[in-house]
Amino acid sequence: MKRIIAFTLALPLIGLTPAQAATAERKPFGTLRDGRAVEAITLSNAKGMRATVLNYGAILQSVMVPDRAGRSEEVTLGYNDMQGYLEKPNYFGATVGRYANRIKAGSFAIDGRQYKLALNNNGNALHGGPLGYDKRLWTVEKVTDGPTASVVMRYVSPDGEEGYPGALTVTATYSLDEDNALTVEYSATTTKPTIVNITNHSFFNLGGEASQRSIYDHYLTIPADATTPVDASLIPTGEIRPVDGTPFDFRRPTRIGERIRDGRDPQIVFGQGYDENFVIARDVSKAPRLHARVEDATTGRVLDILSNQPGVQLYTGNFLDGTAIGRSNHAYRQGDGIALEPQVFPDTPNQPAFGSARLDRGQTYRNIIIYRFSTTAPRN
């Protein structure tokens, strides 16, 4: 797969007053079971948007965004303290890797050598294994104020960790600008040939995390003509299936709940709702392109998600079962949040037709994700 150059967002400095400049603040968040301290870094702008990132799991812990009336509310699922992230993580806001999504039987080959990964999902490897990047303490490298506030974190994954070859040096950079765009850039280099697929697993509810309204009334647009359907174990079959005539056609704004219970489609049955990769393109691009738009008519909040990756996994929180009690003492259940995860296709190392997830020494992996928030007028 062709590697890309970095894409950056910048704002002109002319006319920007200190009151308009985004800020970054570091605070303690808690401790791990072994006593190591966890930090929270909060990025804020003058428009009332605030994003908080933990150096545990490089987790996007909180996103506060104004609605059309200017009221700022929490729009992600998550916890107020470390206890929740340690006991019921559910990948809320997490950075997942070394390989996001599933690898069949946790097995793949590079240059004729077979590698076996740690298994954690019905005999498959999911999101990097039981001790993936979401459960590692990252090092805070840099925190910056300015027109764009940012935090840079770093994690070095040893050769052989969870079964993956090569020592991988990973950075996660979160940046917030004055246009309510939160950019997450993942980059990685390796000491030997390996596979890489890193993404963010935030669950969003634009109606507000405390609203106790599901995301089924949100309108979703995904500019994809096809998906990669899965079998009963949620492993891709290898087919590229057109979305025409299926519940997966989101090429026009569609209410999420409109077809989420359509049991005539085996994909809905296997995933217990939406849990499928959409084909945005067949290669990594030089610049981010639109992957999805989510709209909540009640609050007017709109979220555009852009990335340079070829696929986006849509997941509607189907396996949330009420046992995770979130930051508003809300028992999270199916449909309380939507995750849209830009990435290469699941099980790509075992599916040559999907492209490549390989990274060689001297190359740099990059996944650039932009969460761009805005508001819209009421629907007629």
Side-chain angles (χ1 to χ4, degrees):
M1 180 180 291
K2 185 179 179 181
R3 298 297 161 187
I4 66 162
I5 60 173
F7 174 91
T8 59
L9 294 178
L11 291 178
L13 296 176
I14 298 173
L16 195 63
T17 68
Q20 294 172 306
T23 61
E25 182 181 12
R26 299 173 70 165
K27 286 186 177 180
F29 188 77
T31 58
L32 303 182
R33 293 188 177 99
D34 61 9
R36 287 180 295 166
V38 176
E39 283 191 90
I41 299 91
T42 299
L43 311 177
S44 305
N45 69 15
K47 292 186 176 178
M49 182 172 169
R50 188 166 71 243
T52 299
V53 184
L54 307 181
N55 67 323
Y56 174 74
I59 287 172
L60 181 57
Q61 184 261 340
S62 171
V63 177
M64 301 285 292
V65 181
D67 63 9
R68 68 164 63 94
R71 294 184 297 262
S72 192
E73 293 180 286
E74 178 62 59
V75 296
T76 63
L77 306 191
Y79 304 106
N80 287 327
D81 54 38
M82 277 306 303
Q83 182 177 352
Y85 291 105
L86 294 175
E87 295 181 359
K88 291 279 185 179
N90 285 294
Y91 301 108
F92 292 143
T95 292
V96 290
R98 177 174 310 191
Y99 196 94
N101 219 309
R102 293 171 178 85
I103 296 179
K104 183 178 181 179
S107 180
F108 68 95
I110 293 181
D111 297 333
R113 179 176 174 180
Q114 201 72 24
Y115 292 91
K116 295 292 292 184
L117 305 175
L119 305 180
N120 61 331
N121 184 256
N122 300 318
N124 302 308
L126 174 67
H127 293 332
L131 292 174
Y133 296 168
D134 59 301
K135 297 177 180 67
R136 305 290 182 174
L137 190 65
W138 295 54
T139 301
V140 178
E141 297 278 295
K142 187 177 181 182
V143 178
T144 306
D145 292 329
T148 299
S150 65
V151 55
V152 181
M153 292 176 289
R154 180 172 177 263
Y155 176 68
V156 179
S157 175
D159 184 9
E161 183 176 75
E162 299 294 272
Y164 291 92
L168 199 74
T169 299
V170 187
T171 61
T173 302
Y174 286 82
S175 306
L176 177 64
D177 68 17
E178 286 299 323
D179 289 327
N180 284 357
L182 176 66
T183 300
V184 186
E185 180 173 347
Y186 297 114
S187 65
T189 58
T190 184
T191 60
K192 66 172 68 169
T194 190
I195 58 172
V196 183
N197 184 30
I198 304 169
T199 193
N200 187 276
H201 203 294
S202 290
F203 288 84
F204 294 96
N205 187 322
L206 300 185
E209 183 269 348
S211 68
Q212 299 197 36
R213 292 194 294 115
S214 82
I215 48 88
Y216 295 159
D217 286 331
H218 288 19
Y219 283 80
L220 175 64
T221 306
I222 300 178
D225 294 328
T227 67
T228 54
V230 296
D231 60 22
S233 66
L234 301 182
I235 293 294
T237 63
E239 179 188 3
I240 303 291
R241 185 179 79 156
V243 298
D244 296 277
T246 76
F248 295 84
D249 189 350
F250 287 98
R251 290 173 294 182
R252 295 183 178 180
T254 303
R255 195 175 65 86
I256 293 171
E258 183 174 319
R259 298 173 303 208
I260 199 170
R261 302 288 184 229
D262 189 348
R264 294 171 297 179
D265 193 309
Q267 297 300 296
I268 295 290
V269 177
F270 294 156
Q272 299 182 31
Y274 290 116
D275 192 2
E276 188 135 345
N277 172 66
F278 285 72
V279 179
I280 301 297
R282 299 304 298 271
D283 59 1
V284 174
S285 63
K286 292 183 177 181
R289 54 203 163 196
L290 182 68
H291 275 48
R293 166 173 278 209
V294 187
E295 304 172 68
D296 177 50
T298 301
T299 64
R301 292 189 183 96
V302 177
L303 170 59
D304 288 316
I305 300 177
L306 300 89
S307 177
N308 62 330
Q309 297 298 293
V312 62
Q313 183 81 13
L314 165 64
Y315 175 54
T316 47
N318 313 323
F319 300 106
L320 297 178
D321 59 4
T323 59
I325 311 301
R327 60 169 59 88
S328 299
N329 293 318
H330 180 189
Y332 293 143
R333 296 192 63 85
Q334 186 180 55
D336 280 349
I338 180 173
L340 288 152
E341 310 154 59
Q343 57 190 270
V344 300
F345 303 166
D347 200 36
T348 285
N350 296 311
Q351 304 276 357
F354 286 0
S356 174
R358 177 171 175 150
L359 182 71
D360 286 312
R361 185 180 179 124
Q363 294 179 323
T364 299
Y365 164 89
R366 285 190 176 91
N367 182 0
I368 304 162
I369 305 170
I370 302 172
Y371 301 111
R372 189 171 63 202
F373 292 90
S374 60
T375 57
T376 188
R379 283 179 174 267
N380 294 327

